[in-house]
Amino acid sequence: MHHPRAWLAAALVAGVGFPASLWAQEPAQGNALLIRAEHLIVKPGVVLENAQVSVKDGRIVAVGVDLQPLPGAQEVRGKWVSAGLIDAWSTLGVDPESVADGNVTPATRSADAVDPWLQAHLRREALRAGVVAVRAQAGLAARVGGVGAVVRLAEGLDDAQRFVARDAVMWATVGLGAGAPGGFQIVDGEFVQMPGQRGMDVFERIDMVDRLLAQVVAGRGYLVAMNEHKHELAEWKKKVSEKEAELEKDAKKAKKDRDKAESDAKEKGKPFEEKKYKEDFKKPADPRFDEDSEAWSLVADGAIPLLVHVNRDAELRALLAGLEGVGRLRLVVAGGAESARHAKHLAKQGVAVLVNALPMGSGRSDEYDAHDLSLAARLGKDGVKVAIGSGGMSPDATRDLALLAAQLVGHGLPRVDAMAGVTTNAAEVLGVERAMGTVEVGKHADLVVWNAEPLSTAASAEYVVSAGRVVLAPEQQ
Amino acid sequence: MMLATFLVLALGGGDVALRADKVWIDGSTSIDKGMVLVRDGRIVEVGAKLDLDEGVRVVECQGHLTAGLVALGAKVGVADAALDPTRPAMPEARVAHALCRDDAGFAALRAQGVTSVVITPEAAKLVPGATAVAKTSGALVSERAHLSVVFGASALSLNREPTSYARQGEMLSELFARPEGALLAAKRGQLPILFEVQSKPELRRAIEFARERKLTGALSGAPLAGELAKEIAESKLAVVVDAGGAGEPRREALAMVELAKAGVPFGFGLDGPRNPWQNLRLVAALAVRHGMPRQAAHDGLTRTAASIAGLSERAGVVKAGFDADLVLWSGDPLELSSAPKAVWIEGALVHGAVQ
Amino acid sequence: MSSRQANLTIAAFAAAFLCVAPAQAEKGKVGQKVSSVSAKKVYTGTGKVLEGGVVAISGGKIDSVSGGGSEEFHAITPGLVDLGARAGAILWSVEQSNEVTARLSNSAALDPWGLEWDRLVKSGVTTVLATPLDQNVVGGLSQVLKTAGEDSITARTVRKDSVLRGAMGQQPSQRNSPAFGRPTDFYARRPTTRMGVEWEWRSAFHKTALGQNEGGERETLMKALKGEVVLSIAAWTTQDIRTAVFAVEEIKQKELFRSQGLDKPRVVIDAAAEAWKEPQLLARSGIPVVLPPFTATGRTREGALLPRNAADELRKAGVVFALSAHGSGAYDSNLAVQAGAAMSGGLPFDEALKAVTSTPARLVGADARVGSLEEGKDADLALWNGEPFEPTSRVVAVIVDGVLVWDGRD
Amino acid sequence: MKQHILPGALACAALSILSVDALAGDGKIAIKAGRVITMNGAEIKDGVIVIEDGRITEVAAGAATRWDSELLDHPELTAFPGFVEAHTNRGMDRPNENLEVAPFLDVRDSIDPINFYFEDSLRQGIVALNIQQGPMCVVGAQGRVVRPFGMTVEDMTIKPDAGLKIVAGSRMGRSRATQAMMLRKSFTDVERYLVKLMQDEKDGKDAAKREALFQGRDPEKPENKEGRAMEGVAKWKLSGFEIVGRGLVDKKQEPMLRLVEGKLMAFVQCDGAASVHLALEVARHNGFLANTVLVLDGDSFKAVDAIAEAGVPVVLGPNMVWTERDPLNGKENETFIPSVFAGKKVRFALQSLNSTSQSLWFQAATCVSYGLDRETALASVTSTAADILRLGKRVGRLAPGLDGNVVLMSGDPLSATARVEYVVLDGELVYDRSKDPRAKQLLEGVEQPGAAQQGLPDEEVDPHSGQKKPAKNDKGDKTEKKD
């Protein structure tokens, strides 16, 4: 049963049918599990030797050294155990058309683009490589890609378990497509390069930043307007009930006066006129409902982080300056090829950077896509929180997330920061740090049992526990 | 550049001995706390305990010392000059003539531990010309290392002859029927051939062509070559595995492992569609992850690749008499988390530094 | 549908000596040799039909076809043969730099791992004629080969370079343009019309007879004119069919050809959609035809009309004909559906069976090995779960060279 | 404006030949046939079907000849209730609208009675077609079930308002994400519109009450509720909706209201398993799941468990075989879609592949070839299809009380060699093959003088060179787009 006002309030918080709780979804009920590990990576840099993790109803209930299995718990054993890796920049399991869709709006929910039957073999390989969840994002190259979701890769999960967060982040891009070359086509048997997109000059790119900032500010304005309206509506209701009480009180008197006036008028033969009733208060007009502004209000409110794919220095500076004023906004820079210069400023502002770890050939159109793999190290040195993504170029790159993280270690990033980049920092960047990223009591049970140290070359997952259930075991090879 | 203020050591001068935690002779043999004696750009002696006469400086290196990596197909230094569309076959063309020695790509390759590279012409014609082999210091080793012969569809077009596989086969047979110059050298087995192929039927036709004319060389460009590993092994041809990089489909990764199992000599190349220099070791790591033994992957980066490149007498192995192309890694070379701390080409430090 | 597993008696032979295609063993038996198989009805393709028969197989050949057996399938027919399968007719299968390339063979363009072979096998087709694309007047030599077996074209080939392929009509002249102005590529050449195409044919024949061409071209055209190689000419419409027949009859009557023994070409007209309009001409000339697939509206390429009773009309006129599905394996247009469509036009069942088995095999000279279930022939069998060519039944298993290459029973 | 211009002369000729002069007799006709397939129990040998005033009154074994009714006596033929095309967007002038949400439209305005599609369907023995709008929309027009014969749309109509077309799958210009957003938005818009309507009405009444109190009048009695409670089971059902007056709901939103109140059927098109999930979720949330029929395509069969659990019937796509490549060995694996649904006991109907050679009879026959039992296969194109369209009491069976539709065929409906000889619709003989000019051309190649060029050659695109072939035909313009 929906009382109209309740609906309006719910819509305000939930936006276009966003569920009230934005990130914590109830994981699976059911069986108990005990995982024994020679080395348990509780969180990057903290390793317990010969430790156990106890899981009940999809949650971690105990982490310790000499735990006893819960009654009826299934036991799983392995050399290394860590929290499942999260790929914050992937296109695995997302409908390719939606990823490439140009006319998405801020209110588009990428959760709708997740196709649980798609690329099943690639998802199995990613699980075998220890990646348990990815950010699903439609409109990856669109100016504003809409609201991304964090989705588990395991199969056979129902909707509640599949989404760690249906509406996790807002995705936007600035300055992309600086002259991407056209694709290659066979014309009459010849490999012919089609004309590419015209490059954007710096003014167009700065203009993109301004338009993005305008939308954030508008979202904030919409939020304020909604709150004000809620406020005014309450006030108006108070006044109405007061007025009604007052009228109810002297209704009898009014009735008497009216009868008298009516009889007088009849005597004098003049037509009887009702008393004029005026009210000095008016119902506040409902604000125009707009899904896009609803979505932006969530960003302005800090309910979901804003991920912006930006590479060049000019746009980055304009973006940081523009968003400085917006209070509770949680900004994350994605890509950030030239962000190393602003590392100190980013660290001070608490802005994290999502690095694209996929090495690209120098022949790329946008020279900023030829990622310099030492970017993560240089940012990390100055205290910037670095998350690592597989870059979303192709769905099967997610499988190699651990290798890409190891490669960043090879280019100067400390090993512990690389592990954080694919677990804790990735969870934080996506706003699901309370649900995933570490092996701590209360968090969802998304764990991987490895046959070797997670970032080593020969590492692969022997068991994967996702949403509290064993979703991958050795014999499923 | 993470430049520690260390002694930048040129090894070219007098004799120097490098001692590292581990010296990898090749993929399968390594010496703990091994030492390598270098004189005038060449390796003189390798062993666990060398009796050095005094005056020889011993440099302690933390990490693993290996031979320099060899990349088998990279368009470094030739930019877009690697193609001349005017005639279907130009056996005498040499990509070396278009080589720009101080291309930034060489520095990037050195930073990845690559010391020698085979530079190939664009495979868009029947016989695009000869490949070149260079050290990533810019020094040209050989102006004509292989003759590039294209069996793939990349040499076919609807507007120029040949427009069919049949005619392509016929024209190649005609070229080899009355060979002279580079073709004659190739027919006599003096010049190995780099067969550019893509699909499995093309690969099989190249093997057939080589068997009929007893040609030697390597097959390059077929991602699923491993699925015909037995036939390739019998043909005695080598395989250049193109480094697709992260996201390599599972079927192609397993095909690489099949090559190792069947004992086919293979090396890694950087001629793939996205050929960033970092991919050489990344694909080796991917192969190990899919079941390739570590020594096969290591040899694919060094020893076997050197023999395919025609450097079997001077590079790819830490052995007396070979060039002093050495790389000091911070850890196991097949772990991507290890980085090249120092790279020497013919005894000269060309990247990084040593305490 | 009997769900009990067929008790194909698996041969005791080790599979080793016949290097068997490492087909993934879907049902545990696929890829293994079969020694005997039986069905309620065995259509031998020679006209003889056995009610309840068994086919014994050894060494990839048929040992015997006899009564009895345990009726594992509803029906057995010989493996179907499709001459117009256009298998491997990819862009690079024909050398378009020249309009007449008789010497070139399309075997280099065939890919044993292609998906088209599995689709053909699943529709019951075990032998096809793989021809180059019809872009040239004379496209080149074609292969008769099996659709399953070892992953190698040479191993599957029944008759190598045994058919010379060419085309009449508009198709060969499509890319050409008149040569005035500066020609940019070799497509500024003859023929640009049907007349030009016909002229190319006749000039090729006459040059051969007059000794004005040499090398592989001459050799192949000589073989064609002597009948050592079958000449397959694609001709859809009435005028193209007539042109093809007249060109051949001209050769047979001219002294220039007769004197050199070049007057015995074995011609097959492929995709002869409007052959039904020329029954007498075809009967008189004795030239067999291959019909293209029936279409929903009756209209085929270049507006040629192919009604459902075309096959029956040709039968009545005594013209030898075969059916073709142009390589489609889809359930709505494969070779069995074409036979069903011909039957819906009045063609009796046994004629329809001949038109997809023995006749096509004979037309390309492969009837010594394929096309019917007789002792000594290759053990190529299509196994049905109902009456063949009825839409209510389909091929559920296929045996090629005595090996079970596909088993689709659930 | 009709897109294709049929030479006027021919149009009348074609129709008049077809509609044999209606048999005499006072609307009563008896049809005797050697074999009667009733789809309502056992077959009858040498049975008779009596039709009075367009309805079947009797179906029985060889009853005595009726003196007072016209007789159609064909012991050599098989009587059959005729096929039911459960979903198609052919037979219309333009199947798609460019309005994304247009539930107020009706396909009646786009159906083209003399389109060749209907003549082809009649020739293939189809007696009822569910015409729905094409897939290029979010919430489309009102569908209509018609019979393939009649000069006007009203003549042809069997059931108007046959349900709204909804598209859950992605389509040209709309990816899965944006289509899902638009689909949800079209329902939240209706909800928001109704809430505002009710809120304004309520505020109006409160203000009137205050004025009355002020003026000393007694407020109007609250019980004069001429509105109506919001019916249905939508999750967001509005309580207190009665205060909204009957005619206040805008004509453009009214069909959506009836949909969420469960008064309208919904044909939801899904192009894959993921869109099936979206369709079921939107249907449950907005209360029309009980009236939903899923029109499936692509790999929607993978969501068969969710469909079975939701208990909704489905109409399967024209292509009944789904192939997928195994990523490791490149081989193709086939799935026969109807078997998946038969296995899970989900009611399904089939669609024809094309309107001439591979119509519904061919699809049902193919089901039998893939192992489905004959009864289920035949039912999926006759009785079950009719039940799914909720016309079980009108078409799809030969039983007393149903419409007088009988198809007389020369053999078993599923055999390749059988042909439709006669078709009786509502007791009127409307088709006689011996008088059908186009059948002659298709089957016997007898080209009618001046007969319009029937459609384009199938191979509009040259199959192997892939180039578009300019189809020049000199006998008149293109009259039927090849679908």
Side-chain angles (χ1 to χ4, degrees), chain A residues 125 129 188-190 358-361 373 396-397 399-400 402-404 406-407 409-411 415 454-459, chain B residues 112 156-160 246-250 274-276 278-279 282 285-286 288-290 294 334-339:
Chain A
E125 281 181 55
D188 298 340
E190 279 284 302
L358 195 69
M360 293 285 187
L373 293 181
D396 37 20
R399 169 198 67 192
D400 302 332
L403 282 181
L404 296 175
Q407 197 164 46
V409 175
H411 288 75
R415 202 178 189 92
L455 298 187
S456 68
T457 292
Chain B
Q112 294 298 324
L156 302 179
S157 93
L158 274 181
N159 299 338
R160 287 195 317 278
E248 188 105 338
R250 183 175 173 76
R274 308 188 306 252
N275 54 6
Q278 301 87 347
N279 269 3
L282 179 61
L286 254 176
V288 168
R289 218 171 222 213
H290 283 82
R294 294 181 88 95
L334 285 178
E335 292 297 327
L336 295 178
S337 47
S338 344

Side-chain angles (χ1 to χ4, degrees), chain D residues 246-326:
Chain D
R246 182 81 44 205
L248 277 180
V249 180
D250 165 10
K251 275 288 155 286
K252 287 206 167 22
Q253 301 285 0
E254 209 268 336
M256 289 293 274
L257 177 59
R258 276 197 288 137
L259 177 65
V260 293
E261 288 185 321
K263 293 181 181 148
L264 265 186
M265 285 182 70
F267 290 89
V268 187
Q269 182 126 21
C270 307
D271 71 344
S275 54
V276 166
H277 265 264
L278 172 69
L280 294 177
E281 182 212 316
V282 168
R284 272 198 192 90
H285 183 70
N286 296 297
F288 59 92
L289 183 65
N291 301 322
T292 299
V293 176
L294 295 180
V295 180
L296 302 180
D297 232 330
D299 68 348
S300 303
F301 65 90
K302 292 180 180 169
V304 66
D305 295 332
I307 296 172
E309 189 238 335
V312 288
V314 295
V315 178
L316 301 182
N319 197 328
M320 301 193 295
V321 172
W322 172 260
T323 46
E324 234 166 36
R325 281 194 71 172
D326 180 324

Side-chain angles (χ1 to χ4, degrees), chain B residues 82-83 85 88 121-128 150 153-157 160 196:
Chain B
L83 170 71
E122 189 76 35
K125 303 198 320 196
L126 283 183
V127 183
V150 180
S154 56
L156 302 179
S157 93
R160 287 195 317 278
E196 295 284 352

Side-chain angles (χ1 to χ4, degrees), chain C residues 210-293:
Chain C
L210 297 167
Q212 290 165 356
N213 54 14
E214 75 307 302
E217 289 298 311
R218 177 173 178 71
E219 225 176 86
T220 311
L221 286 167
M222 293 274 280
K223 276 195 198 149
L225 291 172
K226 284 182 179 152
E228 291 159 14
V229 158
V230 173
L231 185 54
S232 159
I233 302 177
W236 292 77
T237 59
T238 323
Q239 68 254 47
D240 295 335
I241 293 171
R242 294 164 63 89
T243 315
V245 172
F246 294 148
V248 170
E249 285 184 338
E250 179 195 358
I251 289 168
K252 289 188 172 161
Q253 283 138 17
K254 268 199 171 167
E255 191 45 34
L256 172 66
F257 293 91
R258 217 190 268 135
S259 59
Q260 304 176 53
L262 299 175
D263 61 342
K264 292 182 283 305
R266 286 161 56 207
V267 178
V268 175
I269 296 182
D270 183 28
E274 294 193 331
W276 61 278
K277 290 185 174 175
E278 304 293 339
Q280 305 77 11
L281 179 70
L282 288 167
R284 184 193 78 212
S285 68
I287 293 180
V289 295
V290 179
L291 295 181

Side-chain angles (χ1 to χ4, degrees), chain D residues 158-460:
Chain D
I158 297 177
K159 174 185 177 190
D161 295 352
L164 283 180
K165 177 62 175 287
I166 295 179
V167 177
S170 59
R171 55 188 168 81
M172 224 253 296
R174 280 264 174 248
S175 70
R176 205 181 290 291
T178 39
Q179 177 78 5
M181 180 176 77
M182 290 295 295
L183 182 56
R184 286 209 183 84
K185 183 175 184 307
S186 55
F187 283 97
T188 44
D189 284 355
V190 172
E191 183 182 351
R192 200 168 299 116
Y193 166 77
L194 296 178
V195 162
K196 184 163 187 339
L197 207 61
M198 194 182 68
Q199 195 58 43
D200 293 352
E201 195 66 24
K202 195 162 170 305
D203 295 346
K205 284 201 177 342
D206 293 351
K209 198 179 91 189
R210 285 200 298 282
E211 187 182 34
L213 284 173
F214 176 75
Q215 290 167 347
R217 287 182 286 104
D218 39 24
E220 277 141 26
K221 284 159 295 317
E223 72 293 346
N224 54 7
K225 290 192 178 47
E226 357 101 350
R228 58 178 182 200
M230 178 178 165
E231 291 145 5
V233 291
K235 289 240 173 5
W236 48 272
K237 201 155 94 81
L238 296 185
S239 66
F241 185 65
E242 309 80 49
I243 60 171
V244 174
R246 182 81 44 205
L248 277 180
V249 180
D250 165 10
K251 275 288 155 286
K252 287 206 167 22
Q253 301 285 0
E254 209 268 336
M256 289 293 274
L257 177 59
R258 276 197 288 137
L259 177 65
V260 293
E261 288 185 321
K263 293 181 181 148
L264 265 186
M265 285 182 70
F267 290 89
V268 187
Q269 182 126 21
C270 307
D271 71 344
S275 54
V276 166
H277 265 264
L278 172 69
L280 294 177
E281 182 212 316
V282 168
R284 272 198 192 90
H285 183 70
N286 296 297
F288 59 92
L289 183 65
N291 301 322
T292 299
V293 176
L294 295 180
V295 180
L296 302 180
D297 232 330
D299 68 348
S300 303
F301 65 90
K302 292 180 180 169
V304 66
D305 295 332
I307 296 172
E309 189 238 335
V312 288
V314 295
V315 178
L316 301 182
N319 197 328
M320 301 193 295
V321 172
W322 172 260
T323 46
E324 234 166 36
R325 281 194 71 172
D326 180 324
L328 278 184
N329 59 25
K331 289 268 182 279
E332 273 188 336
N333 306 326
E334 263 185 10
T335 313
F336 187 66
I337 295 174
S339 309
V340 173
F341 286 96
K344 298 275 180 176
K345 301 280 176 292
V346 174
R347 284 190 307 155
F348 66 90
L350 304 177
Q351 288 184 58
S352 55
L353 201 54
N354 59 45
S355 61
T356 48
S357 50
Q358 267 88 24
S359 181
L360 288 175
W361 69 275
F362 182 83
Q363 299 282 70
T366 307
C367 286
V368 173
S369 76
Y370 274 88
L372 253 66
D373 63 279
R374 185 187 155 86
E375 207 39 48
T376 326
L378 256 180
S380 69
V381 285
T382 51
S383 46
T384 309
D387 297 344
I388 288 175
L389 298 181
R390 298 193 178 155
L391 288 170
K393 302 214 177 17
R394 300 280 310 273
V395 291
R397 293 176 177 81
L398 289 181
L402 274 78
D403 294 3
N405 302 338
V406 179
V407 170
L408 290 171
M409 304 186 71
S410 60
D412 180 273
L414 299 185
S415 106
T417 47
R419 288 244 174 68
V420 171
E421 297 296 342
Y422 301 96
V423 177
V424 171
L425 290 183
D426 296 332
E428 184 195 353
L429 182 64
V430 296
Y431 177 76
D432 174 353
R433 201 172 71 74
S434 55
K435 298 185 174 56
D436 177 355
R438 278 186 68 222
K440 284 217 169 5
Q441 174 177 324
L442 182 62
L443 302 179
E444 288 125 28
V446 175
E447 274 189 293
Q448 300 306 305
Q453 169 75 52
Q454 268 63 52
L456 276 171
D458 246 4
E459 272 145 337
E460 220 172 307

Side-chain angles (χ1 to χ4, degrees), chain A residues 36-315:
Chain A
R36 297 181 185 285
E38 289 170 20
H39 319 279
L40 170 63
I41 306 175
V42 174
K43 56 164 80 95
V46 173
V47 180
L48 296 179
E49 298 302 324
N50 294 325
Q52 297 85 31
V53 183
S54 181
V55 171
K56 181 90 176 77
D57 297 344
R59 294 243 173 196
I60 298 175
V61 291
V63 178
V65 183
D66 41 26
L67 292 183
Q68 293 316 319
L70 292 169
Q74 180 190 356
E75 280 203 30
V76 164
R77 175 187 311 280
K79 290 202 186 65
W80 288 79
V81 170
S82 77
L85 309 188
I86 304 166
D87 187 352
W89 203 339
S90 162
T91 57
L92 180 55
V94 186
D95 160 47
E97 260 172 55
S98 306
V99 170
D101 192 350
N103 43 38
V104 287
T105 68
T108 306
R109 297 173 66 195
S110 305
D112 292 330
V114 170
D115 183 348
W117 284 272
L118 195 61
Q119 298 157 349
H121 64 287
L122 294 183
R123 287 211 304 273
R124 242 193 323 282
E125 281 181 55
L127 280 175
R128 182 62 66 193
V131 181
V132 288
V134 294
R135 167 175 62 108
Q137 183 63 53
L140 209 53
R143 294 249 164 113
V144 177
V147 180
V150 178
V151 64
R152 289 191 169 94
L153 293 178
E155 285 174 81
L157 301 176
D158 58 37
D159 262 1
Q161 298 165 328
R162 179 171 308 120
F163 289 101
V164 178
R166 266 187 176 278
D167 311 290
V169 296
M170 174 66 82
W171 172 256
T173 63
V174 165
L176 282 198
F184 277 82
Q185 271 181 353
I186 297 187
V187 174
D188 298 340
E190 279 284 302
F191 268 93
V192 168
Q193 180 167 18
M194 308 311 288
Q197 277 169 318
R198 191 183 51 73
M200 283 195 286
D201 59 33
V202 67
F203 299 107
E204 281 171 312
R205 291 202 299 271
I206 298 294
D207 175 50
M208 275 176 78
V209 173
D210 295 342
R211 246 187 266 127
L212 179 61
L213 295 177
Q215 291 190 53
V216 173
V217 168
R220 180 159 190 71
Y222 181 86
L223 181 66
V224 167
M226 278 299 205
N227 287 342
E228 261 166 29
H229 172 69
K230 214 164 46 175
H231 194 59
E232 282 162 13
L233 201 62
E235 245 170 59
W236 174 72
K237 278 206 198 85
K238 199 152 62 38
K239 278 215 193 90
V240 163
S241 46
E242 276 162 16
K243 188 66 180 175
E244 254 169 26
E246 179 198 316
L247 289 172
E248 292 280 353
K249 197 156 52 52
D250 43 25
K252 269 197 280 335
K253 183 172 160 316
K255 193 157 176 24
K256 220 156 33 49
D257 295 354
R258 186 175 181 286
D259 295 350
K260 195 166 123 3
E262 203 172 10
S263 55
D264 292 356
K266 213 187 281 92
E267 272 160 29
K268 293 201 183 66
K270 279 210 289 339
F272 166 71
E273 277 163 21
E274 295 283 357
K275 271 193 299 184
K276 268 261 151 280
Y277 171 68
K278 272 205 312 322
E279 284 178 346
D280 52 6
F281 46 85
K282 226 168 87 22
K283 182 175 183 193
D286 290 348
R288 220 177 57 72
F289 177 83
D290 166 37
E291 279 99 4
D292 292 346
S293 306
E294 280 285 335
W296 279 116
S297 65
L298 291 174
V299 175
D301 201 17
I304 56 174
L306 169 64
L307 264 71
V308 182
H309 185 185
V310 56
N311 279 326
R312 280 181 196 70
D313 179 62
E315 297 100 274

